[in-house]
Amino acid sequence: MTPEPLGPLAKLLISGLLLGLCVAIHAAGIVGLSRWLRSRINGRGHGYLAALWAVVRITRVLIGLHLVAILIWALAYVELGCLPDLHTAFYFSSITYTTVGYGDVVLPAPWRAISGAEALTGIFLAGLSTAFLFAFLSKVLQHRTEQ
């Protein structure tokens, strides 16, 4: 049996850094998206089609931010030697991040605990995205009822 390359505290630190990086990127994306929305929509009435198109654009950006987070975790799995290639790592990362967890690809036993941190990242960022989209829709609907 080969010894573990890193101890549990190091793995916890790696998990925390990856989670923090993903949250920071996602938050920066949402702040940028919020500023863009404010500059494009603020003070103007938005019709049905404009609001619909804005929701599509917001959703597209949010999904892109989630894909970046999945890619960050996948790159980490490859770099740490947990998974053999980026294709497998991206697949594993996407099913872990979304908490689907098929179980057909698993991390080596010494590294399995960090996949929980990725699932937590996915749950948290999905909630953040949902809250942002809900806040936008609430503002649009409120504005439409005030007219």
Side-chain angles (χ1 to χ4, degrees), residues 50-95:
L52 177 65
W53 184 237
V55 169
V56 169
R57 292 163 108 178
I58 290 167
T59 304
R60 193 171 54 206
V61 170
L62 292 174
I63 289 171
L65 290 169
H66 288 288
L67 290 173
V68 168
I70 290 168
L71 181 60
I72 287 169
W73 280 91
L75 290 169
Y77 293 137
V78 172
E79 187 63 31
L80 292 168
C82 298
L83 293 170
D85 56 65
L86 187 57
H87 178 74
T88 303
F90 191 84
Y91 169 75
F92 173 79
S93 183
S94 66
I95 61 172

Side-chain angles (χ1 to χ4, degrees), residues 39-147:
S39 72
R40 303 274 293 176
I41 295 174
N42 207 12
R44 295 186 229 160
H46 15 281
Y48 175 78
L49 289 178
L52 177 65
W53 184 237
V55 169
V56 169
R57 292 163 108 178
I58 290 167
T59 304
R60 193 171 54 206
V61 170
L62 292 174
I63 289 171
L65 290 169
H66 288 288
L67 290 173
V68 168
I70 290 168
L71 181 60
I72 287 169
W73 280 91
L75 290 169
Y77 293 137
V78 172
E79 187 63 31
L80 292 168
C82 298
L83 293 170
D85 56 65
L86 187 57
H87 178 74
T88 303
F90 191 84
Y91 169 75
F92 173 79
S93 183
S94 66
I95 61 172
T96 302
Y97 184 90
T98 58
T99 69
V100 173
Y102 291 126
D104 55 341
V105 177
V106 295
L107 296 179
W111 290 100
R112 287 189 188 147
I114 71 167
S115 63
E118 183 180 6
L120 181 62
T121 304
I123 291 167
F124 179 74
L125 295 182
L128 188 60
S129 293
T130 302
F132 180 79
L133 190 55
F134 179 80
F136 173 76
L137 288 172
S138 294
K139 196 155 194 104
V140 167
L141 291 173
Q142 180 184 15
H143 182 75
R144 289 182 64 82
T145 59
E146 291 172 356
Q147 289 181 344

